[in-house]
Amino acid sequence: MVMNTHSNPRITLVGAGPGDPELISIKGMKAIQSADAILYDALAGKELLDYAPAHCTKLNVGKRGGCVSHQQSTINELLVHCARKYGHVVRLKGGDPFVFGRGYEEIIYTEQRGIPTTVIPGISSSISVPALEGIPLTVRGINESFWVTTATLSSGELSNDIKLAASSSATIVILMGLQKIQEIMEIFKRHGKQDVPVAVIQNGSLASQKVALGRVDTIVEEVLQQHMASPAIIVVGEVVKLHKKFESEFFIQMAMQASL
Amino acid sequence: MVMNTHSNPRITLVGAGPGDPELISIKGMKAIQSADAILYDALAGKELLDYAPAHCTKLNVGKRGGCVSHQQSTINELLVHCARKYGHVVRLKGGDPFVFGRGYEEIIYTEQRGIPTTVIPGISSSISVPALEGIPLTVRGINESFWVTTATLSSGELSNDIKLAASSSATIVILMGLQKIQEIMEIFKRHGKQDVPVAVIQNGSLASQKVALGRVDTIVEEVLQQHMASPAIIVVGEVVKLHKKFESEFFIQMAMQASL
């Protein structure tokens, strides 16, 4: 039985941003400064916990890749439990809480139990990580939209939406897709997109950020050669050509082919 | 002729976020604190200028809607001029600099003139404004992707990508589209989407934030009745049903129809 000891339980979902602890919002930082308890993700920077007051209880409820360390239902229960026990709970989530972050499910659960819950958006990796690697998602004259999806879904729907996106000018951003990159690139190939530039960016916004560049039919080999690992995002589209290294690699490749 | 007086000219493009001055990143705030000059947009919150040091020169180079008050070429030249004259220039842009923000064009221009330019991402309105209105862009079991596009191309035409997006399963976010909402909704109707929920959100993240809710075939009337104005974003997709007010309006409408 949960002891309902705190008179003012409340929850704030905070987007921690892509990883660099300075990419949290001022509002998010202030929420942490007033937290009595923090439940944080594997993807949220640990340095952010330093903003918390001394009395604050800190719990790691991280999930990473497909390895579920805490079931979503357990996290939901913990949120309610901690709010009733401690008062103001900050739920710190990597990126933005509402982009594949299951933030909505948490809000519904906690509000149905009478605990006021608010959201402070974060900088989503889907947009910021390409930017930090020098790849803008939209550029006048190149494209007019971008499409963000997750790889962990029924392949049928992925295929249909990729077909539509591939026919458009959209830059395609795929989150949590590294383990399925071969399968994903096969879908693009089936739509005649073997030459479209692709970037895979690991540890975006951190000092360890690295990138693999190629095209739909070469990126899998690049990823293997460079030992790319999760967390990583995949960017597919002509805008990838604007990456500084892409052009030089492209030219070196051309030069090598010419000398054969 | 530009006087090249400063020994260390540099430029930082900073995403100001959706409007609420506390939704800028800590890194963005620190950049402003060390700025010798700031060039800011109409959409960037004026309160952010208060972080600047006393000696900092502040220039409004805002564009809004289609009314160009400063040509992009003028902004580019001003950036270079100010960096050479003052030192550290912060280019403060509403939302994220790389989401329809022409940030890339500015970087190319300034770097080609030998001025080191870096980017600090911002919270994009495309994701955060729906979230602040209680609409998550993706929810398990409802949809698995979102597609962000702009309505107005430089040619004045409607983006062809809207037609493709309308056929997908994605939540669709349309920026700068309010003036063309009727035309856009006609596209969705032609794809049999007349019943899909739509939200139009004005002044996202500010105290004056307001929303109009409806469906593809009713939203234009709602927008007129509620006197919605730019800046506003349009969200089309089943996730809009999760908005608290949508459901009650939906039920009231059902009840009224039942009583006829």
Side-chain angles (χ1 to χ4, degrees):
Chain A
M1 186 94 184
V2 174
M3 291 286 286
N4 189 343
T5 55
H6 203 280
S7 60
N8 186 25
R10 65 189 178 100
I11 296 168
T12 311
L13 260 73
V14 176
D20 177 342
E22 290 205 335
L23 288 179
I24 195 172
S25 69
I26 295 175
K27 202 168 217 168
M29 176 192 69
K30 286 185 176 175
I32 296 173
Q33 287 172 337
S34 72
D36 300 307
I38 298 179
L39 273 65
Y40 62 97
D41 268 4
L43 287 174
K46 300 283 180 297
E47 300 89 339
L48 293 174
L49 301 176
D50 296 340
Y51 291 122
H55 74 273
C56 181
T57 301
K58 297 157 192 164
L59 292 173
N60 182 345
V61 294
K63 297 181 280 190
R64 193 178 273 246
C67 312
V68 176
S69 53
H70 283 77
Q71 292 287 342
Q72 187 63 46
S73 58
T74 312
I75 296 175
N76 293 348
E77 284 167 26
L78 261 175
L79 280 167
V80 170
H81 171 80
C82 289
R84 287 180 178 154
K85 185 171 175 187
Y86 300 111
H88 181 208
V89 173
V90 165
R91 173 72 173 106
L92 193 61
K93 296 169 87 78
D96 181 88
F98 271 6
V99 176
F100 307 114
R102 307 190 72 172
Y104 184 78
E105 294 169 57
E106 295 179 7
I107 289 181
I108 288 297
Y109 185 91
T110 57
E111 289 210 324
Q112 279 177 348
R113 278 145 193 88
I115 301 181
T117 305
T118 54
V119 180
I120 299 176
I123 292 180
S124 172
S125 305
S126 60
I127 296 172
S128 62
V129 168
L132 289 167
E133 195 52 56
I135 302 170
L137 293 188
T138 68
V139 174
R140 280 194 178 212
I142 295 182
N143 72 326
E144 293 149 12
S145 68
F146 63 95
W147 180 60
V148 181
T149 186
T150 171
T152 51
L153 46 74
S154 52
S155 58
E157 200 158 303
L158 180 68
S159 183
N160 187 49
D161 280 353
I162 283 181
K163 188 177 166 184
L164 289 161
S167 321
S168 75
S169 77
T171 302
I172 298 160
V173 180
I174 302 157
L175 305 179
M176 297 166 279
L178 191 60
Q179 289 175 338
K180 293 193 177 181
I181 189 164
Q182 191 152 12
E183 197 181 324
I184 294 165
M185 291 305 127
E186 287 303 323
I187 298 171
F188 279 95
K189 280 185 211 170
R190 282 204 294 277
H191 293 106
K193 297 282 165 172
Q194 61 277 359
D195 293 330
V196 176
V198 184
V200 174
I201 310 164
Q202 180 185 337
N203 293 339
S205 89
L206 300 178
S208 53
Q209 178 174 321
K210 60 186 263 192
V211 65
L213 296 160
R215 292 173 185 268
V216 165
D217 59 1
T218 63
I219 192 67
V220 175
E221 204 186 314
E222 281 297 326
V223 160
L224 291 172
Q225 274 185 5
Q226 296 191 40
H227 306 289
M228 303 295 285
S230 297
I233 76 165
I234 304 169
V235 186
V236 186
E238 293 300 323
V239 289
V240 172
K241 271 188 185 163
L242 303 175
H243 190 286
K244 281 172 192 171
K245 243 175 98 195
F246 184 88
E247 212 159 350
S248 64
E249 284 190 353
F250 179 59
F251 286 134
I252 291 164
Q253 205 183 336
M254 290 289 107
M256 278 171 66
Q257 282 178 357
S259 70
L260 287 177
Chain B
M1 185 98 181
V2 174
M3 293 283 285
N4 189 343
T5 56
H6 203 280
S7 60
N8 186 24
R10 64 188 179 99
I11 296 168
T12 310
L13 261 71
V14 176
D20 176 343
E22 290 207 334
L23 288 179
I24 195 172
S25 68
I26 295 175
K27 202 168 216 166
M29 175 192 69
K30 287 185 176 175
I32 296 174
Q33 287 172 336
S34 72
D36 300 306
I38 298 179
L39 273 65
Y40 63 97
D41 268 3
L43 287 174
K46 299 285 180 297
E47 300 89 338
L48 293 174
L49 302 176
D50 296 340
Y51 291 121
H55 74 274
C56 180
T57 300
K58 296 158 192 165
L59 292 172
N60 182 346
V61 294
K63 298 180 281 190
R64 193 177 274 245
C67 312
V68 177
S69 53
H70 284 77
Q71 292 289 340
Q72 187 63 46
S73 58
T74 313
I75 296 174
N76 292 348
E77 283 166 26
L78 262 175
L79 280 168
V80 170
H81 171 80
C82 289
R84 287 179 177 153
K85 185 170 175 187
Y86 300 111
H88 182 207
V89 173
V90 164
R91 173 72 174 105
L92 193 60
K93 295 170 88 80
D96 181 89
F98 271 6
V99 175
F100 306 113
R102 307 190 72 173
Y104 185 77
E105 294 168 58
E106 296 179 5
I107 289 181
I108 287 298
Y109 185 91
T110 56
E111 289 210 324
Q112 279 177 347
R113 278 145 194 87
I115 302 181
T117 305
T118 55
V119 180
I120 299 175
I123 292 179
S124 172
S125 305
S126 60
I127 296 172
S128 63
V129 169
L132 290 166
E133 196 50 57
I135 302 170
L137 293 188
T138 66
V139 174
R140 283 197 177 210
I142 295 181
N143 73 326
E144 289 150 351
S145 69
F146 62 96
W147 194 328
V148 181
T149 183
T150 174
T152 45
L153 303 182
S154 44
S155 62
E157 282 169 28
L158 208 57
S159 170
N160 193 47
D161 285 358
I162 292 179
K163 292 174 202 163
L164 291 158
S167 323
S168 79
S169 71
T171 302
I172 297 156
V173 181
I174 302 156
L175 305 179
M176 297 165 278
L178 191 62
Q179 289 174 338
K180 295 199 173 182
I181 188 163
Q182 190 152 14
E183 206 176 327
I184 294 166
M185 291 304 125
E186 288 303 324
I187 294 171
F188 280 90
K189 280 184 210 170
R190 283 203 291 278
H191 288 95
K193 304 257 176 167
Q194 61 278 358
D195 293 330
V196 175
V198 184
V200 174
I201 310 164
Q202 180 184 338
N203 293 339
S205 89
L206 300 177
S208 53
Q209 177 173 321
K210 61 185 263 194
V211 65
L213 295 160
R215 292 173 184 269
V216 166
D217 59 2
T218 63
I219 191 69
V220 174
E221 204 187 313
E222 281 296 325
V223 160
L224 291 172
Q225 276 185 5
Q226 296 190 40
H227 306 288
M228 304 296 285
S230 298
I233 75 166
I234 304 169
V235 186
V236 187
E238 293 299 325
V239 289
V240 172
K241 270 188 186 164
L242 302 175
H243 190 285
K244 282 172 190 170
K245 242 175 97 194
F246 184 88
E247 213 159 350
S248 63
E249 284 190 351
F250 180 58
F251 286 134
I252 290 164
Q253 204 182 335
M254 289 291 108
M256 280 172 65
Q257 282 179 357
S259 70
L260 286 178

